[in-house]
Each structure stands twice: as structure tokens, then as C-alpha cells.
Amino acid sequence: MSLNLDLTGRVAVVTGGTRGVGAGIARSFLRAGAEVVVCARRPPDAPVTADGRTARFHAVDLREPAAVQDFFQSVAADHGRLDCLVNNAGGSPYRLLDGTSAERHARVVELNLIAPLTAALAAYEVMRDQPDGGSVIMIGSVSGTRPSPGTAAYGAAKAGLDNLARSMAVEWAPHVRVNTLVLGMVRTELSALHYGDEAGIAAVGATVPLGRLAEPTEIGDACVFLASDRAGYVNGASLHVHGGGERPAFLDAATVNQSKES
């Protein structure tokens, strides 16, 4: 039995879909045949394309509820439907908790938790009236599953996002499914800013059990699956796409001690 992930005729919105992971997600939906709308505060340097098809861009600040509401109503009016929302927009600078005001940490929570809630509520208003319902996919992070020093507010927001998705999945079933992708490290055009040159990226990738960072399209392919009919009974799930996570530090320490004993 083939795994049919054809999304032809369906409409997907990818927030923050103009670069990095978001652009990879958008390209996967384009390859699956979906009509794709990407949004961000600023337009991309170049259109997001795949297989000769192009994602449509809308400028919107997801922290402005009225603008978000207008955006999703516009998508529904232009395309006649909305089948999937991928809440990808987010991020955080490196900020230790002390020395930074609570207000600045609150802005990180607003972008990574409140903004996805705002977008999901606006998308739900469209999806709930459709015979086929719809699907919401939250882009989470391993930072929400473990301590996240330097990005504590981001980690707390991502933990909250996962819980929010599970509550939505219960409240909005059976018409709208809600799931979370819990991401590890992904290789994007910004990887050098975080991990250094190619040697640094390779060294960081070596800490992952699969031996490398994920590619944005691999995240996109997982999103396409969750949006497809093949995931029709997947609801309230947290799918970890992190290459096996992180090798526990104590294992390396134990290896060092064993070598000394021998």
C-alpha cells in the first residue's frame, strides 16, 4: 500500500515561511501539490518556490490580533478554504535570565506562545465551518522539553505551546486536528551564526545520534504527513523530529572513566 501524501487542491498557511525551517516547510507543501501562503513581517529576499510552483506571500505581524484575523479571512476569501496552518514563526536571542528585564522575556513568550494561539484561533474560525475541517501543526522545540539556559523564556513558551496544542486537540476534535512537531537542531542559512563554520556545524551534528543536523525539507515532509489524510487519526500528538535527541553527557563521562581504569 502506497503512502499517498498528495495535497493537491488544499490550502496551507506557513507562518514565518520566508526563510529557514519555514521556507523548507513551504517547499514541502508545494511539492505535495498544495497551494501555499507564507507570511512574515517582511517579504522574502526571493520568492519561496519548489517544482516550478511559488508560495504566495502576505505581510502580517502575528502579534497584532486584528491583522491576523484579517489575514486568515483574506486567505479564505482568496482560496475558498483553509486546510492547514503550520505555526512556525518564532525564535529568541540568547539572553540569560538575570540582567534582562521580565518585559523583554515576555516578548519572547508573546512571539512563541501567544502569537501561535492568535493564529490558531483565527484559522479555526475558518476550518470549523468546512466539511473537511482542517489541521493545525505547532512547531515546537526540544528546548521545551529540557533546561534551556540562555533561552529560558523560549523554552518555557515552547513547553506551553505543546500543552496548548494538546488542549486544542481535545476541544476542537473531531473537525480540526492539532499536533506538534518537536524539533531538534536544523541546518539553515543561519546555522553559521549559531554553530560557526562547516567544521563547527559538523561537530555539533556529531552530538546527535543520527550524526547530523536536520534539513528544513525533512521538517516539511513531517508536516505534510501530519496534514495529510494518512494522519487522519493523529491528534494531540507530539512527534519528535530530532535525530534521536542528545546523547546523555554521563555516557561520555563513563567512557572516559572506563578508559582510565583500563
Side-chain angles (χ1 to χ4, degrees):
M1 180 172 61
S2 65
L3 185 64
N4 183 7
L5 299 180
D6 183 6
L7 300 183
T8 300
R10 302 195 188 184
V11 178
V13 167
V14 182
T15 68
T18 58
R19 66 178 184 177
V21 173
I25 294 170
R27 292 187 181 102
S28 290
F29 274 92
L30 287 170
R31 293 189 185 101
E35 297 298 319
V36 180
V37 180
V38 297
C39 67
R41 284 184 295 167
R42 292 178 293 274
D45 295 332
V48 179
T49 63
D51 290 353
R53 306 178 65 240
T54 302
R56 183 177 178 182
F57 170 76
H58 277 265
V60 62
D61 189 337
L62 296 171
R63 296 167 297 184
E64 299 292 338
V68 172
Q69 187 77 18
D70 290 345
F71 165 63
F72 280 97
Q73 291 300 319
S74 175
V75 170
D78 291 345
H79 296 274
R81 60 188 296 123
L82 172 62
D83 299 283
C84 182
L85 163 64
V86 182
N87 261 320
N88 164 77
S92 173
Y94 183 87
R95 289 174 180 161
L96 294 174
L97 285 170
D98 61 344
T100 305
S101 68
E103 289 78 10
R104 296 193 74 178
H105 290 303
R107 291 176 198 163
V108 174
V109 175
E110 180 184 19
L111 176 61
N112 292 280
L113 179 59
I114 306 303
L117 170 60
T118 301
L121 288 169
Y124 177 68
E125 287 192 17
V126 177
M127 293 177 179
R128 67 183 177 185
D129 295 326
Q130 299 177 158
D132 300 347
S135 170
V136 175
I137 301 169
M138 304 294 195
I139 300 301
S141 170
V142 293
S143 294
T145 66
R146 52 153 171 77
S148 187
T151 55
Y154 174 80
K158 289 299 188 181
L161 188 67
D162 190 18
N163 186 274
L164 175 66
R166 281 182 268 130
S167 295
M168 285 179 173
V170 174
E171 291 191 16
W172 294 354
H175 299 298
V176 176
R177 295 183 297 108
V178 186
N179 295 289
T180 303
L181 285 187
V182 181
L183 306 190
M185 295 177 288
V186 184
R187 178 169 185 148
T188 71
E189 61 268 34
L190 299 178
S191 292
L193 296 178
H194 302 286
Y195 311 127
D197 58 14
E198 287 298 319
I201 293 172
V204 171
T207 67
V208 178
L210 285 187
R212 62 178 177 83
L213 276 59
E215 296 294 333
T217 53
E218 293 177 306
I219 308 305
D221 290 346
C223 287
V224 167
F225 166 70
L226 288 177
S228 74
D229 293 340
R230 303 299 292 190
Y233 202 67
V234 181
N235 188 41
S238 300
L239 176 61
H240 288 69
V241 186
H242 57 15
E246 301 170 337
R247 178 178 170 83
F250 76 83
L251 292 178
D252 294 326
T255 299
V256 170
N257 290 336
Q258 289 171 6
S259 64
K260 288 180 178 179
E261 292 175 1
S262 60

